[in-house]
Amino acid sequence: MHSSRHVRHLGMCLAAAVLAGGLAGCSADVVRPAHPAPRTQPSVTPSPSGPAPTARVRALLLPYDRYELTPGDLATVQAAEDVVMVSCMRAQGRSWTPLPAATDADPPNRTRYGVIEADVAARYGYHQPPSPPGVAARAAAEGARNARLTQADADAAFGKAGAAESVGGCWKAAHESLRKDVPGSRHDLLDELTTSSFDASLRNSGVRQALSRWSACMKKSGYSYASPLDAAADEKWQKADRPGRLETSVAVADVRCKEETRLVRQWSSVERDWQREFIRQRAGRFRALALAKDTWLRAARAALRNDPRGH
C-alpha cells in the first residue's frame, strides 16, 4: 500500500495509521491482531528495512500526539498484550512465546505531509517504505510463531476463526486486562481533531501561499502540480507496485521544494495553533483522553516490567 491511495489526509490516521502500518481506524482504542492461519509457512526471505527517520522527522510533533497512541506506544501495548497472554494460554495447557518488542516504530507524523525525507523519496518515491528493522523483525517472528500454531492453539489465542466476534481468546482477555482501569473518554474527538486541523490548514492563507511557492518550485524542475497531495496522487504511479525513475525524481523534487519553501514548517505551525485552540476549547474532554492514554500505557509498561524475560 502506498501513500497516494490516501491522498486527502496524508498520514492522518497516525499512523497513524494506515500509511505507517495500518491501524483499525484513526483512534487506537483497539488494536486487533489478525486471526492467523495455522501451519502457514513463513517467508524465508528476510524483510528489507527502510531508512531510519531523520532527527527533523522525529522532532515533527503536534499537540494531538499527547492524546493518541503513537506507533511507538502501540508497539508497547502490543508487546504487553503478548506477555499477558502467556498465563492465559498456560492455564489451557498451551505454550505461548511473546514476540520481541519493536522499539523503532516510526515517529507519529512521518508521513502527515507526504514524503519529507530525501532518502525515502529517492528510494521509494511515493510508495510506502519497508518497516523499520525492529518492526520487520517482530513481523517475521509473528509469521514464524503462527506457522507453529495448531488450529486449537490459534483458537485459544485469538478465538475461533470466523466467529461473530472478530478476535477473542487469550488476546481479548489480555487486552481487557490491560484496559480494566482505563477510564472512558471521547476518542471521536481525536478523529475530529485530525480531520479538522488538516482541512483548516489547507484553507489558511499562509499555507496556501507556501503551497503556491512549492508549486512554482516544482515547475522549475519540469513538474506541474498544485500541491504535494496532487503529486502523490499522480495516476502514473498510483497503481504501480514499485516506484519508477520518474516517480522517484518527482518525489525528490517534492522534498527539495518543501525544504526550499519551508512548506512543512509553515503547515505544521498552522496545525499546531489550530489544534491547541481546539484542545483549549474542550480542555476537560482532552484531560480525560490524556488520562486514558497514560493509564493504558502505565498498565502495559508494568506488564513488560513483570516479564521475567525482560525488555
Side-chain angles (χ1 to χ4, degrees):
M1 182 182 297
H2 54 82
S3 60
S4 59
R5 297 182 186 177
H6 300 272
V7 174
R8 190 160 182 265
H9 301 305
L10 288 176
M12 293 220 349
C13 295
L14 268 185
V18 177
L19 302 180
L23 304 183
C26 289
S27 65
D29 186 50
V30 176
V31 184
R32 297 181 181 275
H35 193 294
R39 301 300 181 187
T40 299
Q41 291 300 315
S43 172
V44 296
T45 303
S47 298
S49 58
T54 63
R56 181 182 300 179
V57 168
R58 291 192 179 279
L60 183 56
L61 301 174
L62 296 170
Y64 167 95
D65 303 327
R66 169 68 184 92
Y67 306 96
E68 178 65 284
L69 293 182
T70 68
D73 294 335
L74 291 172
T76 297
V77 167
Q78 290 166 340
E81 288 170 344
D82 230 13
V83 167
V84 176
M85 286 177 67
V86 172
S87 59
C88 175
M89 293 290 283
R90 187 177 297 151
Q92 301 179 56
R94 305 181 187 280
S95 63
W96 186 256
T97 303
L99 302 177
T103 59
D104 57 353
D106 277 340
N109 301 303
R110 189 174 192 179
T111 57
R112 187 173 183 86
Y113 305 105
V115 60
I116 60 176
E117 298 162 279
D119 190 21
V120 173
R123 293 170 64 180
Y124 306 104
Y126 293 101
H127 282 66
Q128 175 70 24
S131 299
V135 176
R138 180 181 169 88
E142 183 176 22
R145 183 178 67 184
N146 288 348
R148 296 191 297 269
L149 295 176
T150 66
Q151 185 65 57
D153 289 335
D155 289 346
F158 301 110
K160 292 188 179 296
E165 188 169 21
S166 59
V167 185
C170 285
W171 175 83
K172 182 181 178 183
H175 178 79
E176 292 179 346
S177 172
L178 293 177
R179 286 187 56 85
K180 67 180 181 189
D181 295 323
V182 175
S185 57
R186 288 279 307 278
H187 264 78
D188 60 302
L189 279 175
L190 295 175
D191 293 349
E192 183 183 349
L193 169 61
T194 304
T195 302
S196 298
S197 72
F198 198 87
D199 287 344
S201 70
L202 290 173
R203 296 191 297 269
N204 177 270
S205 60
V207 172
R208 291 170 69 88
Q209 291 169 11
L211 287 170
S212 294
R213 293 193 297 271
W214 175 91
S215 182
C217 176
M218 291 290 285
K219 192 161 291 186
K220 290 178 181 178
S221 296
Y223 309 122
S224 181
Y225 297 103
S227 77
L229 308 182
D230 297 323
D234 195 312
E235 292 183 356
K236 289 191 287 291
W237 42 76
Q238 188 169 0
K239 296 180 181 180
D241 292 332
R242 296 180 179 180
R245 182 174 299 178
L246 176 60
E247 178 183 343
T248 55
S249 296
V250 172
V252 167
D254 179 351
V255 172
R256 177 177 53 79
C257 287
K258 281 178 176 139
E259 292 175 350
E260 289 183 6
T261 61
R262 299 186 176 184
L263 173 59
V264 174
R265 180 182 298 183
Q266 173 71 25
W267 205 343
S268 60
S269 176
V270 169
E271 279 214 273
R272 285 190 193 96
D273 290 343
W274 197 99
Q275 290 188 10
R276 288 191 188 104
E277 180 61 19
F278 186 95
I279 293 166
R280 185 190 67 78
Q281 294 176 1
R282 299 157 182 81
R285 295 178 180 181
F286 277 91
R287 280 196 295 271
L289 282 165
L291 178 61
K293 173 181 174 177
D294 292 347
T295 304
W296 194 2
L297 284 175
R298 192 159 47 245
R301 289 166 181 150
L304 292 174
R305 284 196 301 273
N306 292 332
D307 178 14
R309 299 175 309 132
H311 280 270

